[in-house]
Amino acid sequence: MLLSKFKGSALAALAGDCIGARYESMWRPVAYQTLLNLEENLKSAEKTSRRSLHYTDDTEMAHELAKSLVENGKFVAKDVASKFTETFFESPPYRYYGPHVRNVFEKLEKASRFSDLFGPASEQFDGQGSYGNGSAMRVFPVALFCHGNQELLEKLAALSAKLTHAHIDAINGAKLQASAVEIALSSSDGSISWLEFWQKLKDLIDKLEVDVPEKVYTNKLDMIKELIAREEVASVHEFEDEVGTGIKASEAVCAAIYAFLMCLADRQPSELSSLSKVQQVVFYSISLGGDTDTIGTMAGAIAGAFYGDEGLPSYWLYAFEGAEMARDLATKLHELNEKK
Ligand code: 8NA
Ligand code: MG
Ligand code: MG
Ligand code: MG
């Protein structure tokens, strides 16, 4: 069962990125029917064995992080930094990296030759560091690698984030997203309510934001609870106003968590009811609009870790670039976890 959860997480993360990337530049809600039509097109990929959808920066970086953990059996910051940097400079334009992260890679490679691993990220945005969602979008392999060890998970989520994102909101976003995947790995459908899941995340954020004056995650998590408990489902526009779906880690991570918890609470839209639970989470998260590939990939990583890969459509393995790699890395991370 645990292997199924590892594979489910990696595969649904990939699906969320590949599907979400189709709508990323639109910055508006995505109609359910549009997503259902795309799903119909993906089914034909199995017959033609055509890879129809590309992954983006989210998956590229997650896979590099996973490869490094698998090869080294531990987190080696220099190796992760050089893998991120090498793939960035070789990657095709349709990976759509965040607009400013190039500066970090240029400095890591050219200026310091990987001698100063965390300096370039801390110089971003006049020394504030990036609060973009790039730290959290790629973090799920840390959760798989650290499964069963929350202390290590928080440490590695922070270290992996700090290579490119030094802002506290990006670091806490990576810890929160990785922890959501870990809670999903450690529980099963029917064993936890949405409110219990939410409470675990809230307890973590209370601890992480104890000395943070702005408490962005505390406020957004409180709002998420209010929205899910409410009788009437919030419109996407209200969600956008209250929580957000943008490029900030605090918005995208909370949007992914909201989509997962809404489906766990059985409040998913009826239009998606023909789909498996993992698909419902991925599609619902993308329907919120905004940074759709990143919200989709993070919601997928949580949902796949919770429900496993059994209910996933077989054509997902054919429809997305990188599907074999996702499955292979998940299997290797699971083997490493078994040995511990
Ligand atoms: P990033 O570090 O460049 O941050 C993303 C953006 O957030 C920056 O370009 C700024 O606009 C803004 N930002 C971050 N920190 C600050 C700050 N301290 N002060 C002011 N503005 C700030 O890149 P990232 O790695 O976090 O980006 C990840 C996202 O980029 C993912 O969603 C990914 O899918 C991708 N993405 C690409 C495109 C595209 O079309 N190229 C569009 C959206 C997202
Ligand atoms: Mg992307
Ligand atoms: Mg938006
Ligand atoms: Mg994105």
Side-chain angles (χ1 to χ4, degrees):
M1 184 55 196
L2 193 59
L3 177 59
S4 160
K5 283 169 160 281
F6 274 50
K7 289 197 287 195
S9 185
L11 208 53
L14 175 69
D17 181 16
C18 291
I19 298 171
R22 303 272 296 220
Y23 311 100
E24 187 182 13
S25 53
M26 297 175 187
W27 299 101
R28 58 164 191 256
V30 185
Y32 303 130
Q33 196 52 50
T34 305
L35 292 165
L36 291 169
N37 292 346
L38 176 78
E39 180 71 10
E40 279 305 311
N41 290 337
L42 291 181
K43 281 184 189 163
S44 67
E46 184 165 28
K47 296 185 199 106
T48 58
S49 71
R50 188 166 44 88
R51 292 276 182 278
S52 44
L53 299 183
H54 290 295
Y55 61 76
T56 74
D57 56 340
D58 308 63
T59 300
E60 182 155 276
M61 297 188 90
H63 284 189
E64 291 308 309
L65 177 54
K67 281 181 210 166
S68 183
L69 290 167
V70 165
E71 282 169 27
N72 296 292
K74 60 181 178 181
F75 181 83
V76 180
K78 189 172 181 177
D79 187 53
V80 177
S82 65
K83 280 184 163 57
F84 281 170
T85 305
E86 267 171 40
T87 38
F88 172 81
F89 285 113
E90 285 166 7
S91 72
Y94 51 78
R95 299 289 185 232
Y96 300 117
Y97 276 80
H100 289 85
V101 78
R102 167 178 287 275
N103 304 336
V104 176
F105 296 131
E106 282 177 350
K107 286 187 190 169
L108 276 171
E109 188 179 53
K110 298 204 175 70
S112 87
R113 300 208 162 273
F114 300 105
S115 62
D116 179 12
L117 295 173
F118 301 103
S122 66
E123 288 163 17
Q124 290 287 86
F125 301 98
D126 299 325
Q128 276 186 54
S130 172
Y131 52 56
N133 55 38
S135 57
M137 71 182 183
R138 63 181 189 231
V139 81
F140 82 85
V142 165
L144 305 194
F145 179 76
C146 298
H147 173 53
N149 187 343
Q150 177 68 22
E151 196 184 332
L152 185 66
L153 176 149
E154 287 176 41
K155 185 178 156 198
L156 299 192
L159 283 173
S160 65
K162 283 180 189 169
L163 291 170
T164 49
H165 291 66
H167 195 286
I168 186 67
D169 290 350
I171 295 166
N172 282 343
K175 289 183 185 180
L176 182 62
Q177 167 62 15
S179 298
V181 175
E182 167 62 7
I183 297 165
L185 289 174
S186 307
S187 43
S188 57
D189 195 11
S191 76
I192 189 167
S193 69
W194 75 267
L195 196 54
E196 289 163 341
F197 200 113
W198 176 89
Q199 190 61 54
K200 284 174 189 272
L201 296 174
K202 184 64 174 16
D203 291 344
L204 173 77
I205 275 305
D206 284 345
K207 186 187 80 177
L208 296 180
E209 289 198 324
V210 72
D211 295 323
V212 181
E214 302 227 323
K215 309 225 184 298
V216 275
Y217 288 96
T218 307
N219 296 335
K220 286 183 193 289
L221 281 176
D222 285 344
M223 179 53 68
I224 284 173
K225 180 184 172 189
E226 195 184 312
L227 292 176
I228 301 175
R230 205 190 264 182
E231 207 165 310
E232 202 172 318
V233 174
S235 72
V236 281
H237 296 292
E238 185 179 8
F239 184 80
E240 171 70 36
D241 287 345
E242 299 287 3
V243 179
T245 55
I247 205 159
K248 288 181 174 180
S250 59
E251 295 189 10
V253 171
C254 290
I257 288 170
Y258 171 76
F260 171 73
L261 292 180
M262 278 290 279
C263 295
L264 185 58
D266 261 328
R267 307 209 67 201
Q268 66 278 11
S270 59
E271 289 90 333
L272 301 179
S273 60
S274 63
L275 305 174
S276 73
K277 206 74 188 184
V278 176
Q279 287 175 291
Q280 290 180 9
V281 174
V282 169
F283 283 14
Y284 184 52
S285 70
I286 291 170
S287 78
L288 298 173
D291 198 352
T292 44
D293 67 325
T294 300
I295 296 171
T297 201
M298 294 191 292
I302 304 167
F306 191 70
Y307 297 104
D309 73 341
E310 275 106 20
L312 300 187
S314 56
Y315 51 85
W316 272 20
L317 283 174
Y318 300 88
F320 307 128
E321 178 193 13
E324 285 99 348
M325 179 65 77
R327 234 180 14 171
D328 184 49
L329 288 168
T331 306
K332 287 181 172 148
L333 285 167
H334 178 259
E335 276 166 22
L336 272 181
N337 205 269
E338 293 269 277
K339 284 186 200 149
K340 277 188 215 154

